[in-house]
Amino acid sequence: MNRLSLGYEEALRLTLEGVEPLGVEDAPLLESVGRVAGAELRALLDSPAAAASRKDGYALRGSEVASASEAAPVRLELAGIMAAGDHEEIPVGPGQAVRVLTGARIPPGADAVVSEEYTRLEGSDLLVLAPSQAKNILPTGGDVARGDLILATGRVITPVAAGLLAAGGLGSAMVFARPRVGILGTGSEIVMPGLPLRPGQVHASNIITLAGFCAREGMAPSLGMAVDQPEELRRALEDLLAGSDALITSGGAWRGERDLVAQALKELGWRKVFHRIRMGPGKAVGFGLLAGKPVFLLPGGPPSNLMGFLQIALPGLHALAGRARPGLPRVSARLAADILDGNPAWTDFFQGSLSPGEDGLPLFHPLSKRSRLSALAKAHAVAAIPEGRESLSQGEILNVQLLGAGALA
């Protein structure tokens, strides 16, 4: 009989429903990169403000060069030159052309641009050797038009999106506050990285991994440590939560004599939403609220710790940050080998590497779900045997979660 009544999908739903986004603030554009739009961000003006040349070339009347060719060039009078930012306009009359550099406004009277490689100068005249092309002109508002929606609420502001916001006249953006995430490593055997070890001790690698993910996702992590003593655990939890918007605990989440975190949270008055779910690795993961702030319990074993974070804590933190699409980004991939050891009562997660596939879909090469940290560090993506299935077959197309920007490199 299965003693864990809560399935993964239900646990994820309860997590997302239990987290409210933080407030919004106005941030300078450079400081908004990597943060989440807290309102619809629309262009305040047209960019470009006037039609501009996409190429170094010559602005002219397109109808006059429609029949131009190498064998029968069209001769035009060169009336001057305009560069990007020039205020003076040089009109283009019949039989004339104006030299324009990339970004220059299209001069009055011109309706086309010929790239310079299709022209030849002969004295003060211009010989046009090919017809003009419409694509050589960027129309008014061609990058973004006044009132255009650049980013919807809940979308992450990328560097390119920030540039587009700048082009649209914005100097700042309304963004959700950056979550401050307290990460508490628990256990008498763990030591802060870099400090000397005594027999039986290990460095607290889990909290570094978790903090690294939080920092990469635009959050502000802070670290704490506590030994397996109830009073110290309670004090550490209170101290870390006081300066945080959310708390992650690492270790002490199961049922051993020294797994004391859930009891400490209970004594502090947390509202438990769930603790232990049907997923592997990571079945000991828990979620609740303490002083109105989300708290995520993660087991201490590296595979369980990481998977519990990726599948429950990270989506919850994304919701806190205001993201409209919580969780890791997903792509389709083809399974490169059978996965045979699933439990139909559980959702079984596997990490793996990706390589290019012959049909355009990447190939997903699974690692053992019991892999240790050295193997997990090589993973690019995560896939799952869903509840109700025992295996996946080579060649199946999966929806996989990407672990980083270099996952498909």
Side-chain angles (χ1 to χ4, degrees):
M1 179 178 177
N2 198 316
R3 299 172 63 187
L4 301 179
S5 60
L6 190 65
Y8 163 69
E9 295 291 345
E10 179 72 1
L12 179 59
R13 181 185 67 80
L14 290 172
T15 300
L16 298 180
E17 289 179 354
V19 177
E20 292 290 333
L22 298 173
V24 297
E25 58 192 28
D26 196 31
L29 279 187
L30 190 56
E31 296 177 16
S32 75
V33 175
R35 298 178 68 177
V36 181
E40 288 188 345
L41 301 178
R42 296 182 177 273
L44 303 179
L45 45 78
D46 294 331
S47 180
S53 179
R54 294 180 184 268
K55 299 282 188 78
D56 289 349
Y58 297 87
L60 40 74
R61 300 183 177 197
S63 60
E64 294 185 339
V65 297
S67 61
S69 67
E70 291 271 1
V74 173
R75 184 180 295 270
L76 300 174
E77 174 192 356
L78 191 57
I81 182 172
M82 291 177 61
D86 284 355
H87 297 293
E88 181 183 0
E89 292 184 333
I90 303 174
V92 174
Q96 290 184 323
V98 169
R99 168 75 165 158
V100 287
L101 303 183
T102 301
R105 288 177 298 156
I106 301 301
D111 60 10
V113 170
V114 173
S115 299
E116 63 181 339
E117 59 264 34
Y118 299 113
T119 64
R120 185 171 71 246
L121 290 174
E122 193 171 275
S124 61
D125 289 343
L126 175 74
L127 296 182
V128 180
L129 312 176
S132 60
Q133 292 184 296
K135 68 179 183 180
N136 290 341
I137 293 181
L138 181 64
T140 301
D143 276 332
V144 63
R146 179 173 181 167
D148 277 357
L149 178 64
I150 298 176
L151 273 180
T153 305
R155 300 305 298 273
V156 176
I157 300 175
T158 64
V160 174
L164 192 56
L165 291 170
L170 284 78
S172 62
M174 293 301 297
V175 293
F176 284 100
R178 191 189 304 274
R180 301 167 300 162
V181 183
I183 303 172
L184 182 66
T186 70
S188 301
E189 78 283 7
I190 61 172
V191 175
M192 192 64 76
L195 297 180
L197 297 175
R198 294 196 301 269
Q201 292 184 322
V202 295
H203 285 122
S205 59
N206 285 344
I207 62 174
I208 299 302
T209 299
L210 301 178
F213 268 106
C214 288
R216 191 194 75 176
E217 298 296 302
M219 304 167 199
S222 56
L223 302 180
M225 302 273 287
V227 299
D228 293 320
Q229 297 294 333
E231 185 177 343
E232 180 165 340
L233 266 176
R234 290 192 298 270
R235 183 169 59 251
L237 288 166
E238 288 182 308
D239 290 348
L240 198 54
L241 190 64
S244 305
D245 301 304
L247 181 64
I248 298 173
T249 65
S250 176
W254 194 232
R255 297 176 176 175
E257 292 82 354
R258 294 194 177 186
D259 291 332
L260 307 174
V261 176
Q263 181 61 32
L265 287 168
K266 182 178 179 181
E267 292 168 0
L268 292 172
W270 88 315
R271 181 172 69 82
K272 182 178 76 172
V273 176
F274 61 81
H275 185 195
R276 306 183 188 102
I277 61 178
R278 297 196 308 274
M279 63 173 277
K283 63 185 176 183
V285 68
F287 166 67
L289 299 171
L290 180 59
K293 299 177 181 180
V295 179
F296 303 94
L297 280 74
L298 301 181
S304 297
N305 183 272
L306 180 57
M307 200 59 67
F309 173 80
L310 294 176
Q311 303 307 326
I312 296 295
L314 182 59
L317 293 173
H318 279 166
L320 186 67
R323 289 203 190 192
R325 300 176 182 176
L328 293 168
R330 296 171 179 264
V331 298
S332 294
R334 192 178 300 279
L335 185 59
D338 294 341
I339 301 178
L340 303 174
D341 57 348
N343 182 336
W346 293 51
T347 300
D348 281 294
F349 289 98
F350 292 83
Q351 295 195 68
S353 61
L354 294 173
S355 67
E358 294 181 357
D359 60 355
L361 283 179
L363 288 173
F364 178 84
H365 305 268
L367 298 167
S368 168
K369 65 180 178 181
R370 298 172 182 83
S371 297
R372 299 300 291 178
L373 192 58
S374 58
L376 297 178
K378 302 174 184 177
H380 299 149
V382 177
I385 303 178
E387 194 168 314
R389 293 191 61 180
E390 294 183 352
S391 63
L392 298 174
S393 300
Q394 179 180 350
E396 284 193 54
I397 297 176
L398 309 177
N399 195 243
V400 303
Q401 302 170 330
L402 298 179
L403 290 174
L408 293 174

